[in-house]
Amino acid sequence: MDLANLSAFIAIAETGSFSGAGERLHLTQPAISKRIAGLEQQLDVRLFDRLGREVTLTEAGRALLPRAYQILNVLDDTRRALNNLTGEVTGRLTLATSHHIGLHRLPPLLRAFTREHPGVALDIQFLDSEAAYDEILHGRAEIAVITLAPEPHHLIRAVPVWDDALDFVAAPEHPLASNQQVSLADVARHPAVFPGGNTFTHHIVQRLFESQGLAPNIAMSTNYLETIKMMVSIGLAWSVLPRTMLDEQVASIALPGIQLSRQLGYILHTERTLSNAARAFMALLDSHAGSA
């Protein structure tokens, strides 16, 4: 089975179009079509239904997709295992990370890593933590530094590095910020801007309210913490932000007896062979475990 054809098949399945696959693989659309035609001829099945501009997997295509991932991952594992025999920390390290961690936690570590291992080419992908999770599960990244899921997938190894304290915040002039005696029920009555419903942080905060029989009044949501901070600072709503992001633009809401936090760390696939570069980066992260 031709590996280039399999790569084209996966790219179409993930992007939903032949043109999108061509852009990802730096190939023309006719070249992508030729690869898929060759794969379909070799397997004697139709892999995609083409309805106008919409491309969907056939039943055969859906059956092939997990096997295609497995084939390419085994090949990548073999390459890494052979390269590791040299003991050198070189080659490409594909690292996925969230925007927040990439901006606020990783820069000094990346600076130290590149100085220590100049032979490593870093391929950094900035993604939502949930999307980075999928990158690891599908073998498209070796390691991801993200907000850890409360209940990780059984094929994922999750290693905490930072305990990230979360604070309820509002604009300094907001009633919740100026009142010294505020309960979670008081907070629930005011409009909130929340992290997106698909995010791990959203689920952490949502569970706190549910544990007290409350439902937050979510007026808006976004996955970007910097955007949430801006919306809070102009008085549109309250929210929950990492304590490391607090400054004079927002004020902490005092909620006696309530402490909220999330764990930041790295994840990897338990069945994947790691490169020497990935192992070196893991060791660097482990050395910072427990830091603020």
Side-chain angles (χ1 to χ4, degrees):
M1 191 176 296
D2 191 289
L3 296 176
N5 293 353
L6 272 183
S7 296
F9 166 74
I10 289 173
I12 297 169
E14 291 179 349
T15 64
S17 71
F18 280 65
S19 58
E23 291 176 6
R24 175 184 290 188
L25 299 177
H26 306 292
L27 296 169
T28 64
Q29 189 168 331
I32 292 291
S33 298
K34 184 177 180 180
R35 289 190 178 186
I36 296 304
L39 187 59
E40 290 179 329
Q41 183 177 11
Q42 186 178 20
L43 297 176
D44 196 25
V45 292
R46 188 176 184 86
L47 298 172
F48 294 102
D49 285 326
R50 305 159 180 83
L51 305 174
R53 293 187 176 182
E54 187 175 348
V55 178
T56 59
L57 286 166
T58 62
E59 183 178 359
R62 290 192 298 272
L64 175 62
L65 186 58
R67 292 169 172 81
Y69 282 128
Q70 186 177 19
I71 291 169
L72 293 186
N73 287 342
V74 167
L75 178 62
D76 286 340
D77 269 2
T78 302
R79 287 172 177 157
R80 279 189 295 272
L82 294 175
N83 289 336
N84 286 349
L85 294 176
T86 66
E88 296 180 355
V89 182
T90 57
R92 178 173 296 275
L93 172 58
T94 304
L95 168 70
T97 187
S98 69
H99 297 83
H100 175 71
I101 295 174
L103 290 173
H104 296 277
R105 299 280 188 174
L106 282 186
L109 277 72
L110 292 172
R111 194 176 302 116
F113 184 79
T114 53
R115 282 201 303 263
E116 181 71 19
H117 305 292
V120 176
L122 281 173
D123 177 13
I124 304 175
Q125 303 173 7
F126 289 91
L127 303 165
D128 292 342
S129 290
E130 299 70 29
Y133 207 88
D134 284 340
E135 292 298 293
I136 295 296
L137 276 175
H138 289 128
R140 294 188 292 266
E142 273 198 86
I143 188 170
V145 188
I146 60 170
T147 301
L148 299 181
E151 298 177 1
H153 190 281
H154 71 279
L155 290 176
I156 291 291
R157 177 189 170 204
V159 181
V161 177
W162 303 281
D163 189 44
D164 201 33
L166 300 172
D167 282 356
F168 284 81
V169 294
E173 65 276 9
H174 195 284
L176 290 172
S178 57
N179 192 335
Q180 296 302 309
Q181 293 184 332
V182 178
S183 68
L184 198 63
D186 295 326
V187 173
R189 285 191 283 270
H190 289 265
V193 53
F194 251 44
N198 64 323
T199 63
F200 300 143
T201 305
H202 177 105
H203 295 313
I204 291 170
V205 181
Q206 184 74 32
R207 277 205 295 267
L208 172 65
F209 280 90
E210 290 175 351
S211 70
Q212 299 196 20
L214 299 170
N217 177 11
I218 303 175
M220 297 165 282
S221 65
T222 175
N223 287 3
Y224 298 103
L225 296 179
E226 297 290 348
T227 303
I228 290 176
K229 182 179 178 182
M230 180 274 293
M231 291 179 171
V232 169
S233 70
I234 61 178
L236 288 179
W238 64 267
S239 190
V240 173
L241 287 174
R243 189 170 295 166
T244 54
M245 294 183 67
L246 271 58
D247 55 24
E248 70 281 353
Q249 298 179 60
V250 296
S252 180
I253 302 170
L255 287 169
I258 291 180
Q259 292 184 334
L260 204 59
S261 67
R262 61 183 186 171
Q263 286 191 320
L264 311 180
Y266 64 87
I267 62 171
L268 49 91
H269 200 295
T270 58
E271 297 182 352
R272 177 170 186 164
T273 300
L274 294 175
S275 65
N276 289 337
R279 294 180 187 278
F281 194 71
M282 286 168 52
L284 180 62
L285 288 168
D286 290 341
S287 70
H288 285 72
S291 59

